[in-house]
Amino acid sequence: IFSSGGGETMITARNISSDTPLSALPPMVVTYRLAGVDGEATEEIVSTLEDPEAPSSSTSPEECERQMEKEYGLTRLVTEGRGISILLRSVESNVFDSLRRIRRDDVSRLSGRSGGSNPSRECFQQSPPCSALLLLRHCTQLASNRKKLLEAQAPTFLLRLLLDVLNSLDEASARVAAGLGEGEENVPVDEAHAITNPTADLLQELIETLASDISPELETALASSAEVEEDAEEAASTLPLLLSSLRTIYLGPPMRKVIAKLLPFLTYGQTLLSRELAANFVTHVNIDALGEVESSGKPATRASVLMDTFVQAAISIPPSGVCNSLRSELKSCGFVDQLVSFILKDIPQSPPTWSAALWAKGADFGGMKKDAIEKIWRSYFLRSGLQTAFKMLAGLCNGHEETQSAIANAGARKSAKGDVAFLTACHWMESTSDNSSLAIETKGVGILAETLLDELSSGNEKVAKKVKGLRKETRNRKKEIAQESRSKTLVSMRSFGPMAGDRGPYAAESDSNQSAVGLVGSVARRAASFLTGPTAPRASKSAKKSDKTKPSWMEEMEAMEDETGLTCAICQEGRTLQPSELLGLYTFVKKVTIPCSKGGGRTHIDGSALLVSLPRSLPASLVNTNVDHEWFRPARIAADTLRESTDVDAVVASETSSANRRMTTLVTTVSAGNAIHCSCHSKARAADRNHSRAPKSEWEGASLRNSRVQCNSILPLVSSKNSKDVSLMAVDIAMTEHQNVIANILGQKPRSDLWLVLHDVRMLLLRMSYGEALNADCGGGSLSSNASLVMYQLFLADMLAKSAEHEAPHTAQHARFLSSGFLAATNIIRSNDFDTSGSTASALMRGIADAAPMASLCCILFSNNVDEESDEPEKGDSPHPRRRWVSQKEEFLRGLIACAGRRHSLNVHDSGCVNASRNSRFSRVRSRSFTEWDVDEETASRGAGVPPSRRKSILGKRGLPQIDEYAKALRPMITLYAIFEQLSSDFVVGMNDEAVEASASRLAEVVAGCQKSKDIHELLVSAKVTLDHEEIVDYLQKGMHSDSTSL
């Protein structure tokens, strides 16, 4: 019920429809809250309003498909049997009927029997699409229907209809058809403007929709349909119609791109059609005028639009067997040779002079002056059309060995005549960059040449061997130049004094003491005095003379220690040479929003709900046991402290509510492993900002230093052992800058820095366990570099926990005693005298499932160096052999399995960090690192939502499903258990950089081994899981039913 503020108007939801006027709707009451007034704002920041029924940005592609299935599932009935054929013929009949009336009125108008207008055309331009066409659009919402439409060659059919519609709507086309408008091909397209209507718009939308799915499905569909004679005849008539329509009507840029993509497929692999289309390529593509395609200022004409369509078709032709016949015909008709000749036209006969690696040692400039060569190259790069020619060649040779060899051989024939070979010319250009001092710009030709060489080498061993030989020769020459430069530098340094290892003046005394005094330092020379007998005094005198000769900077360099561990990206020094400078890691941080209904409730994943769900007293069988003293009592203290400091019970109840649509906002961080001193970053930031010619923003310059990997924050590398010499002021400044970046990303200041870091580590480990691409967000970063990031973030969490013990004791107790509460809960739930039929048991089991990853992480962070029996910290630099994880890892494993069951029941199939386009059903999700498992989809989805009746008895073994049925649901959490197992065996607070690197490599190997497992059985062995299959399935189903009132 909606009511206005005055209460006079009362409108029920039943009376509201899409036709209800706005004036009849009640007003919306909006309350504005000013941040900073009357204290800190605690309300959630709502930046966008989302339809709860529509897919959100965090919705997985599988969930989007299920929602589309729910809305458009009835359309499957339309596409069954001959439904698609009937639907397409119905569309054709309706459209042709309208076009017939337009042509009839055109004949009457041209014969003078009617006025100057065409009423049928005017009516058709304003009319909505027919019902059959609207139904077809609904059918394309489902992937299975789109597949059937592709098999029925619907894109070709709809394209013919669209061309007929556009021909009828375009009056200029009608005049050409009637013989009254000849010679209009060169009329600018802004005069021959595009005329369209709702029917044409919808046809174009449907063609674009189906074209997005054409690559993976079309080849199989065509192979099966090309055998039908009727389809072959239709294909033979579609191509000439398309070509004639392209000459007479104007098509907008989006439609031209679609036609360019479909054009090669319209040959259907037939030789005659391919030959006809190749002839049109030669006719309409003027190679010498390719520069007109690149120019945007010149008005386009119908002829140029036609040429642009064929050019785009050549660039985007896919590596498909259906399109290879067109490639062969284009090669046979000489189109490929024309492109090669165009690129080689006026090319210099010598490499660029500013790329020294392309010239042999001691080579001259071939009898030409350096300025003349540079002038020729400058003129060559100014040629228009080069970029387009390279792109066309790359598209034509993509995956086609015959064309690849033809291009390489054409270049060889050129070389035999004395001209430069094509492959050599491309190699020259790929090895060349802009030269601002000579005012030479390559305009991206170098990158295009490199791309073309890569395409030529792909799948062709002979061409690949030639390209590798050229690149290897240049690479060796670069090494030679670098060695020469190094030698010159060393020679110039000797002008200050003899270098280490030189045969200095003392070496001339005698050959006997040459080996003792020829290296470095007075210590070695004193030792030599005892070994050389009678000549020792002379050696000592010579040593004193040498000490005066050797400069102080050389002695300092000889005494300098080698740098180990992380080094700064700017000064190349680390903790050894600059112990007082704070190091940081370049990282990329992004905001992640997870619905509470998808396992994203903050109080559940951080264990708050678990702690407050613990009963007031233990079951009698556990009283005065180790569970009571070591785990339950500390956990109860942490729970009571939480209740005193926050209204945690109300928050837990709110997040548990089925009607809750709140979102939990977190961050996830990745890194490429590049370090930098915080002070060096500050200086570089100022230099980038104040650069006179090319000023850059802070993170634009940082991405260059970060190996061109995008970054937006620096994570300070602080720990109790590795940051002893760093000033507190430097640490405080770096932490403040890092926290400000996080606050800007979140839109608000986080309530707890400790929990922010712990949630961040949890998200990163989940991304690893799900096999997601960690470089998808920033364009770089490996599994090993992000495993190192986990270690450094745990160091930071340890420091924040120690700080929280004084500033926020309830936060520190919550984190430290979470694993104790988890272990107490698992023992309570398994005790024989605990009532499993009440709501307490359900809440406890749900808390165990949701908090299992965070409890495992906190156990490793706070208890990995503690003797579980004596509760005293170990003083060594390795994990304690009797640590908590070793003795209780099966309990944590059971919790992780329950977590897998709960995520499976909530249809959670990823970490929550995967970006999914809101509106796009065509969005492509980057493939995961998992080896694909052959699991039946019906079996894999079983258990999500309402379980089958045979699983009503969860603890019974007779009806228990097999573990293979839940292989995909178990896979991420079993991988996560293996990650925790390896992390526990290595992690110690304050590890040095070398230990972190070695541990990260081992952790990456474990993750890679789990991802390569061929099935669930191999994964269990790889993860060292000792539980039997029945117990695993039992705990999985407990997690699936954790929302029920009884276990």
Side-chain angles (χ1 to χ4, degrees):
I1 297 176
F2 301 89
S3 63
S4 64
E8 298 178 357
T9 304
M10 185 70 69
I11 299 179
T12 61
R14 297 178 181 176
N15 299 330
I16 297 177
S17 66
S18 59
D19 299 327
T20 304
L22 293 177
S23 58
L25 295 176
M28 177 184 291
V29 179
V30 179
T31 302
Y32 291 92
R33 174 70 157 84
L34 300 179
V37 179
D38 295 333
E40 185 72 21
T42 57
E43 293 82 5
E44 287 191 13
I45 297 178
V46 180
S47 57
T48 57
L49 295 177
E50 297 183 357
D51 183 359
E53 300 296 332
S56 64
S57 58
S58 60
T59 305
S60 64
E62 294 82 2
E63 181 66 21
C64 291
E65 190 66 30
R66 278 191 289 270
Q67 293 185 11
M68 300 299 287
E69 176 71 28
K70 180 180 178 180
E71 186 172 356
Y72 298 100
L74 285 176
T75 58
R76 293 185 187 275
L77 300 176
V78 179
T79 59
E80 290 180 356
R82 299 179 59 250
I84 290 180
S85 176
I86 295 174
L87 182 59
L88 292 177
R89 296 305 174 188
S90 176
V91 172
E92 182 183 39
S93 176
N94 281 275
V95 173
F96 278 3
D97 185 58
S98 299
L99 300 183
R100 180 180 56 81
R101 290 194 294 269
I102 294 175
R103 286 192 292 268
R104 179 198 62 195
D105 290 352
D106 271 336
V107 172
S108 299
R109 182 170 57 88
L110 295 175
S111 62
R113 288 179 292 176
S114 62
S117 62
N118 188 323
S120 298
R121 179 182 289 116
E122 295 175 357
C123 179
F124 186 54
Q125 288 176 352
Q126 304 298 329
S127 300
C130 63
S131 300
L133 200 56
L134 294 175
L135 178 58
L136 184 61
R137 178 170 63 179
H138 293 325
C139 292
T140 59
Q141 303 298 319
L142 299 182
S144 58
N145 288 344
R146 295 195 297 272
K147 181 178 180 181
K148 292 180 180 179
L149 287 167
L150 285 174
E151 293 174 352
Q153 298 183 9
T156 302
F157 181 86
L158 297 176
L159 181 60
R160 295 183 64 190
L161 286 182
L162 177 60
L163 294 174
D164 286 337
V165 169
L166 294 178
N167 270 312
S168 298
L169 292 177
D170 195 346
E171 295 184 7
S173 300
R175 293 197 303 270
V176 172
L180 302 176
E182 297 179 359
E184 293 190 356
E185 285 194 357
N186 294 323
V187 176
V189 295
D190 57 346
E191 296 179 12
H193 57 279
I195 300 177
T196 184
N197 79 323
T199 299
D201 292 338
L202 184 52
L203 284 170
Q204 180 173 341
E205 177 188 340
L206 291 173
I207 293 173
E208 292 175 357
T209 298
L210 295 174
S212 65
D213 286 359
I214 202 171
S215 297
E217 304 290 346
L218 186 64
E219 187 170 352
T220 303
L222 294 178
S224 60
S225 62
E227 300 175 359
V228 183
E229 183 177 356
E230 181 180 355
D231 294 337
E233 294 177 357
E234 183 178 356
S237 62
T238 301
L239 186 59
L241 173 64
L242 173 60
L243 296 176
S244 63
S245 299
L246 287 174
R247 299 186 188 98
T248 57
I249 62 175
Y250 169 69
L251 300 174
M255 191 60 204
R256 293 205 301 270
K257 291 182 179 179
V258 174
I259 291 180
K261 183 175 183 179
L262 289 174
L263 197 58
F265 290 101
L266 295 179
T267 62
Y268 292 91
Q270 299 180 16
T271 304
L272 293 178
L273 292 178
S274 300
R275 189 172 301 162
E276 180 183 357
L277 184 58
N280 279 273
F281 268 86
V282 176
T283 302
H284 296 290
V285 178
N286 185 0
I287 302 295
D288 295 329
L290 286 178
E292 297 180 2
V293 179
E294 300 173 358
S295 61
S296 58
K298 185 178 179 180
T301 62
R302 294 186 186 276
S304 64
V305 167
L306 187 62
M307 175 177 170
D308 180 65
T309 303
F310 281 103
V311 169
Q312 293 300 324
I315 293 175
S316 59
I317 182 172
S320 170
V322 177
C323 304
N324 284 341
S325 61
L326 175 60
R327 286 190 171 94
S328 299
E329 293 299 329
L330 287 172
K331 182 191 73 67
S332 300
C333 69
F335 186 76
V336 174
D337 291 336
Q338 291 179 25
L339 288 173
V340 173
S341 300
F342 176 78
I343 293 176
L344 291 177
K345 181 181 178 181
D346 298 331
I347 193 170
Q349 302 301 309
S350 302
T353 58
W354 61 94
S355 298
L358 296 175
W359 291 83
K361 184 176 181 180
D364 55 11
F365 294 121
M368 299 178 62
K369 294 183 179 180
K370 180 179 179 182
D371 295 340
I373 298 176
E374 293 170 355
K375 182 179 180 180
I376 298 175
W377 275 110
R378 186 182 298 108
S379 301
Y380 179 79
F381 285 128
L382 290 176
R383 287 184 57 196
S384 59
L386 279 179
Q387 294 91 332
T388 303
F390 274 109
K391 293 177 183 178
M392 293 175 68
L393 279 181
L396 293 175
C397 72
N398 186 8
H400 194 233
E401 187 174 353
E402 183 181 358
T403 305
Q404 293 169 347
S405 301
I407 294 175
N409 293 334
R413 288 195 296 270
K414 290 284 184 181
S415 180
K417 296 178 182 179
D419 298 330
V420 61
F422 182 74
L423 294 182
T424 304
C426 291
H427 176 62
W428 286 353
M429 285 181 274
E430 75 165 343
S431 304
T432 297
S433 58
D434 295 347
N435 192 314
S436 57
S437 61
L438 299 176
I440 296 177
E441 295 184 6
T442 62
K443 298 182 179 181
V445 172
I447 297 177
L448 294 175
E450 180 182 1
T451 303
L452 176 58
L453 289 179
D454 292 339
E455 293 292 347
L456 291 172
S457 304
S458 178
N460 193 319
E461 294 183 0
K462 293 182 179 179
V463 179
K465 185 177 180 180
K466 296 178 182 179
V467 174
K468 288 181 180 179
L470 291 172
R471 290 174 172 174
K472 183 178 180 181
E473 183 179 354
T474 303
R475 188 166 54 250
N476 293 337
R477 177 60 183 146
K478 286 182 179 180
K479 293 180 180 179
E480 186 178 351
I481 293 174
Q483 182 64 29
E484 292 175 358
S485 176
R486 178 177 177 273
S487 300
K488 291 180 181 180
T489 303
L490 292 176
V491 169
S492 63
M493 292 176 65
R494 288 190 179 94
S495 62
F496 296 97
M499 299 292 294
D502 282 353
R503 296 170 59 89
Y506 50 83
E509 296 291 333
S510 65
D511 292 337
S512 60
N513 48 353
Q514 173 183 336
S515 60
V517 300
L519 193 56
V520 290
S522 58
V523 175
R525 288 193 292 275
R526 291 193 187 100
S529 66
F530 293 94
L531 300 174
T532 53
T535 60
R538 296 176 62 186
S540 177
K541 182 178 179 180
S542 177
K544 292 180 181 180
K545 182 178 179 182
S546 175
D547 286 342
K548 295 179 181 180
T549 306
K550 183 177 297 185
S552 59
W553 63 266
M554 181 58 68
E555 294 181 353
E556 183 179 354
M557 288 183 62
E558 293 173 352
M560 190 178 295
E561 298 182 29
D562 292 335
E563 186 61 78
T564 57
L566 294 175
T567 57
C568 175
I570 295 179
C571 67
Q572 301 299 317
E573 295 179 343
R575 304 184 196 270
T576 302
L577 301 179
Q578 293 288 347
S580 61
E581 293 290 339
L582 179 62
L583 273 174
L585 272 184
Y586 277 130
T587 59
F588 180 81
V589 185
K590 79 168 182 176
K591 181 179 178 180
V592 177
T593 305
I594 304 176
C596 292
S597 59
K598 293 295 184 181
R602 190 183 300 271
T603 59
H604 288 83
I605 59 180
D606 68 6
S608 299
L610 173 64
L611 293 176
V612 299
S613 300
L614 290 172
R616 289 290 177 182
S617 59
L618 283 172
S621 60
L622 298 178
V623 175
N624 292 327
T625 62
N626 185 58
V627 175
D628 187 2
H629 297 291
E630 300 295 333
W631 301 331
F632 181 72
R633 294 182 184 180
R636 286 296 313 165
I637 294 174
D640 294 339
T641 307
L642 274 178
R643 286 193 173 97
E644 293 174 1
S645 59
T646 59
D647 192 9
V648 64
D649 293 297
V651 178
V652 171
S654 173
E655 292 182 352
T656 308
S657 172
S658 59
N660 179 36
R661 297 188 180 277
R662 297 178 61 184
M663 310 290 284
T664 299
T665 303
L666 304 170
V667 296
T668 177
T669 306
V670 291
S671 173
N674 295 315
I676 189 171
H677 286 129
C678 295
S679 58
C680 291
H681 175 76
S682 300
K683 296 175 183 177
R685 175 178 55 194
D688 289 337
R689 183 173 57 248
N690 300 324
H691 197 281
S692 58
R693 294 186 179 179
K696 293 185 285 291
S697 64
E698 175 182 4
W699 301 114
E700 184 182 1
S703 65
L704 297 177
R705 296 184 288 275
N706 192 32
S707 303
R708 298 186 180 274
V709 177
Q710 185 179 357
C711 56
N712 58 7
S713 179
I714 293 180
L715 178 72
L717 301 183
V718 293
S719 66
S720 57
K721 292 185 179 180
N722 296 331
S723 305
K724 293 181 179 179
D725 298 328
V726 180
S727 66
L728 294 178
M729 180 68 71
V731 174
D732 183 65
I733 293 175
M735 288 298 300
T736 301
E737 291 183 354
H738 176 67
Q739 291 165 359
N740 288 339
V741 170
I742 300 298
N744 291 333
I745 293 173
L746 289 175
Q748 60 184 350
K749 184 178 180 181
R751 298 180 181 179
S752 171
D753 294 329
L754 170 60
W755 280 110
L756 181 73
V757 175
L758 290 177
H759 282 302
D760 196 353
V761 177
R762 174 184 173 274
M763 294 298 296
L764 181 54
L765 294 180
L766 281 178
R767 296 178 72 176
M768 293 181 182
S769 65
Y770 275 96
E772 296 171 358
L774 301 179
N775 58 359
D777 299 322
C778 58
S782 64
L783 186 60
S784 178
S785 66
N786 285 283
S788 299
L789 176 63
V790 170
M791 306 286 185
Y792 291 119
Q793 284 188 307
L794 290 179
F795 297 163
L796 178 60
D798 176 73
M799 187 196 73
L800 293 174
K802 293 177 180 177
S803 176
E805 290 177 354
H806 305 285
E807 300 175 359
H810 65 280
T811 301
Q813 286 187 355
H814 177 191
R816 289 189 180 276
F817 296 143
L818 176 58
S819 62
S820 300
F822 177 86
L823 294 174
T826 57
N827 281 271
I828 291 173
I829 208 76
R830 290 195 298 114
S831 61
N832 296 327
D833 52 346
F834 179 69
D835 183 13
T836 60
S837 61
S839 59
T840 302
S842 176
L844 205 58
M845 192 65 221
R846 177 175 177 175
I848 291 173
D850 288 336
M854 187 62 77
S856 303
L857 182 63
C858 290
C859 172
I860 295 173
L861 174 60
F862 298 113
S863 305
N864 216 43
N865 207 26
V866 176
D867 188 348
E868 184 68 7
E869 299 178 2
S870 64
D871 199 27
E872 293 182 358
E874 178 74 11
K875 302 300 182 181
D877 294 332
S878 60
H880 199 285
R882 294 189 299 273
R883 58 190 181 276
R884 175 172 294 182
W885 177 268
V886 172
S887 59
Q888 303 298 327
K889 59 184 178 181
E890 289 192 353
E891 296 292 344
F892 290 104
L893 173 59
R894 294 185 180 98
L896 292 173
I897 294 173
C899 179
R902 174 153 175 77
R903 295 174 73 88
H904 182 57
S905 66
L906 296 175
N907 289 323
V908 179
H909 304 292
D910 54 46
S911 66
C913 303
V914 178
N915 288 327
S917 176
R918 177 180 175 81
N919 283 325
S920 178
R921 58 180 175 271
F922 315 119
S923 59
R924 300 289 184 252
V925 178
R926 186 181 293 244
S927 61
R928 296 180 177 176
S929 303
F930 282 155
T931 299
E932 290 297 329
W933 287 358
D934 296 329
V935 180
D936 183 50
E937 293 186 1
E938 180 181 356
T939 302
S941 62
R942 187 178 300 165
V946 180
S949 58
R950 70 170 180 169
R951 280 199 298 276
K952 290 183 179 179
S953 175
I954 299 175
L955 298 179
K957 297 182 179 179
R958 176 173 297 179
L960 200 64
Q962 297 296 321
I963 193 173
D964 298 276
E965 297 185 23
Y966 299 107
K968 290 188 176 180
L970 286 167
R971 189 176 196 177
M973 290 300 121
I974 298 298
T975 304
L976 184 59
Y977 169 75
I979 292 175
F980 283 132
E981 173 71 11
Q982 182 60 41
L983 195 61
S984 173
S985 64
D986 287 336
F987 177 76
V988 176
V989 174
M991 302 163 62
N992 57 35
D993 295 336
E994 295 89 339
V996 168
E997 183 180 359
S999 300
S1001 299
R1002 289 191 290 269
L1003 182 59
E1005 291 177 1
V1006 169
V1007 176
C1010 292
Q1011 292 173 349
K1012 293 178 181 178
S1013 300
K1014 297 180 180 179
D1015 51 35
I1016 185 63
H1017 304 282
E1018 185 175 335
L1019 176 60
L1020 293 176
V1021 174
S1022 179
K1024 303 176 183 178
V1025 174
T1026 57
L1027 300 180
D1028 58 57
H1029 292 181
E1030 292 182 353
E1031 187 174 4
I1032 292 175
V1033 176
D1034 181 24
Y1035 269 88
L1036 181 80
Q1037 291 196 332
K1038 284 183 178 181
M1040 292 165 55
H1041 294 265
S1042 57
D1043 283 332
S1044 60
T1045 56
S1046 64
L1047 296 176

